[in-house]
Amino acid sequence: MRFITRKDIIQQLKNDLIGKDAYRGVTLTYSWMANQFGHFSLGFIPTSILYTFLQSKTEIARPEIWAAFIIWGCWILFELYNFLGPLLFNANAKNQEIQKTDYTFYPEWGNITFDTLTDLCFFGLGAFASSLLCVYTPIAMLIFLSLCILSIYPSYYWYSTKMHLQNAGYPFQLRLSQWKFKIQENHKSLITDFVKNPQSGKHLLLFGSKGSGKTSLSVAIATELSIKNNRCSYVTATKLLSMFFEKAERVAISPGSWAWHDSSLLIIDDINPGGLIKKDIIRAPLFYELLDNPEYGPFNKEHLKKMNTIWVMGNEESSETQEERWENLFKQIGIDDSNVLRVNLDHH
């Protein structure tokens, strides 16, 4: 079931274009559009300046074409440096056994390539729009129209992807490659597989003390899945407890929003603090009692069981009795132990 439809995209576009951001807030979709307008301007303005110089100071033929190609070419070289620089630098670092510059999780280079090509489309659009305004030429019009056609799908993809990200409700933005904390290699492989091969009904338990990076890791994992247009939701445990008593079909936060039970991945954060606080603040029996309330209990358990979930926990070693442990909660919901994955960020 598609939650973000063409109608939702058009409504979000209207929201972004009409009204003042000073009182409505700046959305990720608005920021993306502003970013691409900036790329367009960085192609348009330098081309106009260079054309004026070439036309008045040189005898070069067709200065409007040369100006557009030169400026676009400069941006292509600049983006190549931005794109290839990290790749080459990290390759050299590995050869020299310099580990400080290595990524904990490697970037999605295919996604970054697509983003770079999208930016270059808008640089080119600006450059050749300026060329057409200076002097109309068929070749500039052909290139401009070709770039317009080429930019349609990337614009649709990135705009709808930003809607997936903003509807998830993350507290901050973070890609998995930006996560820089320590983690065991087997846990790293488990998370990589969780992101690349998502299967329904998997429950990832992230244990760790304060400052171990468990919340940021959960957001980074979900961000990668949001970029693949999965429906993800971030919620704190206390807020989720109140949601167990409602059955909203859609959430009116922004066009295309979804309720927690419609998520393909749910992050449940701040379940317990961990570290020096040994006792669980939110106990598993209380969580299950509110989950299995008389009105919505079966509905809640059915959806929580089948969706992917990241549980941001505290200490893995607990002094609680067997009946109070979270493993018992999963059994009560009907989650098989083989679908429960564990990562402890305190073990390096």
Side-chain angles (χ1 to χ4, degrees), residues 70-125:
I70 290 170
I71 296 301
W72 194 26
C74 287
W75 285 119
I76 290 172
L77 292 174
F78 178 78
E79 289 293 338
L80 278 174
Y81 173 78
N82 274 344
F83 178 72
L84 295 177
L87 276 174
L88 297 174
F89 182 72
N90 276 279
N92 293 333
K94 285 184 179 179
N95 292 335
Q96 299 166 15
E97 298 184 352
I98 299 173
Q99 298 299 322
K100 290 183 180 179
T101 55
D102 286 351
Y103 294 102
T104 302
F105 295 95
Y106 287 101
E108 291 287 339
W109 293 113
N111 187 254
I112 295 171
T113 301
F114 186 51
D115 180 56
T116 302
L117 292 174
T118 303
D119 294 346
L120 289 176
C121 259
F122 282 91
F123 281 129
L125 281 170

Side-chain angles (χ1 to χ4, degrees), residues 198-212:
Q199 302 175 32
S200 297
K202 293 294 182 181
H203 296 262
L204 175 61
L205 277 64
L206 288 182
F207 293 98
S209 56
K210 179 177 172 58
S212 60

Side-chain angles (χ1 to χ4, degrees), residues 182-241:
K182 293 180 180 180
I183 187 173
Q184 289 181 348
E185 281 299 321
N186 60 322
H187 289 165
K188 177 180 171 182
S189 300
L190 185 150
I191 288 170
T192 301
D193 186 64
F194 185 85
V195 172
K196 291 190 174 181
N197 304 297
Q199 302 175 32
S200 297
K202 293 294 182 181
H203 296 262
L204 175 61
L205 277 64
L206 288 182
F207 293 98
S209 56
K210 179 177 172 58
S212 60
K214 56 186 185 292
T215 293
S216 57
L217 180 57
S218 68
V219 170
I221 292 169
T223 296
E224 297 302 321
L225 293 171
S226 288
I227 287 172
K228 296 177 182 177
N229 288 356
N230 289 283
R231 298 189 306 274
C232 302
S233 295
Y234 172 93
V235 65
T236 61
T238 50
K239 186 175 181 180
L240 181 62
L241 291 176

Side-chain angles (χ1 to χ4, degrees), residues 241 281-292:
L241 291 176
I281 294 175
I282 297 179
R283 304 290 183 91
L286 173 61
F287 189 96
Y288 183 76
E289 179 186 337
L290 299 177
L291 168 74
D292 193 30

Side-chain angles (χ1 to χ4, degrees), residues 268-322:
I268 308 175
D269 196 10
D270 292 335
I271 294 176
N272 288 300
L276 296 176
I277 303 175
K278 301 299 181 184
K279 286 281 187 180
D280 286 347
I281 294 175
I282 297 179
R283 304 290 183 91
L286 173 61
F287 189 96
Y288 183 76
E289 179 186 337
L290 299 177
L291 168 74
D292 193 30
N293 65 75
E295 189 170 359
Y296 296 114
F299 174 85
N300 292 334
K301 289 192 289 185
E302 176 193 354
H303 284 81
L304 195 60
K305 177 183 176 181
K306 71 182 182 182
M307 69 174 59
N308 289 339
T309 311
I310 300 177
W311 303 72
V312 184
M313 312 291 288
N315 299 302
E316 185 171 13
E317 299 81 11
S318 176
S319 59
E320 308 298 338
T321 64
Q322 183 62 36

Side-chain angles (χ1 to χ4, degrees), residues 44-57:
F44 187 94
I45 297 171
T47 299
S48 301
I49 295 170
L50 184 58
Y51 165 75
T52 302
F53 174 81
L54 293 177
Q55 196 268 338
S56 61
K57 302 294 183 181

Side-chain angles (χ1 to χ4, degrees), residues 236-253:
T236 61
T238 50
K239 186 175 181 180
L240 181 62
L241 291 176
S242 66
M243 292 178 176
F244 286 153
F245 294 87
E246 60 189 25
K247 191 179 176 181
E249 294 300 325
R250 297 293 286 267
V251 181
I253 298 172

